Amino acid sequence: MSSATALKCAAILGASGVALGAFGAHGLKNIISDPEKIKTWETASRYQMIHAAALLAYSATGRHSRSVVGLWTAGAAMFSGSIYCLVLNKDVFRPLGPITPLGGLFMIAGWLALLASP
């Protein structure tokens, strides 16, 4: 993948991470009263933003690893996205539960791919 693709993925994850983080900080408490669920939302937002920043930094290196960009992007979307859904309605989104650890594994694999890339 090109640096431009990594930059676009970073921008999408970053923009949606800020929006979802702001919603978690200001709007979520109007529909969710459980402080553990709010804390879980914050964790999802934090991991999403960390990987957006990592993609942004990676795009600036000029390196082109499809594995790194793909794993970080898919992993952050799967991990954080499934958590957002589960916090909002665990009963409806229960089938997404196994996606959360898979997303975490994808993010870890992206870091290992970075280590192995030239």
Side-chain angles (χ1 to χ4, degrees):
M1 283 189 197
S2 70
S3 294
T5 301
L7 181 62
K8 289 176 184 177
C9 290
I12 291 167
L13 282 178
S16 59
V18 169
L20 289 162
F23 173 71
H26 303 290
L28 189 60
K29 56 187 153 207
N30 295 330
I31 39 178
I32 304 285
S33 59
D34 183 350
E36 283 302 311
K37 287 184 177 182
I38 293 172
K39 188 175 178 181
T40 299
W41 186 283
E42 291 169 357
T43 298
S45 178
R46 184 180 327 95
Y47 274 74
Q48 182 174 345
M49 291 304 297
I50 287 168
H51 285 82
L55 280 163
L56 181 62
Y58 185 74
S59 72
T61 68
R63 294 167 70 185
H64 307 291
S65 171
R66 180 180 303 225
S67 297
V68 172
V69 175
L71 288 165
W72 278 347
T73 303
M78 292 164 58
F79 178 84
S80 297
S82 62
I83 290 175
Y84 296 139
C85 291
L86 289 165
V87 166
L88 290 173
N89 192 327
K90 190 171 188 171
D91 293 329
V92 170
F93 296 110
R94 187 172 306 278
L96 295 181
I99 300 297
T100 307
L102 285 175
L105 288 173
F106 275 44
M107 289 186 290
I108 293 166
W111 288 103
L112 295 174
L114 177 65
L115 177 67
S117 68

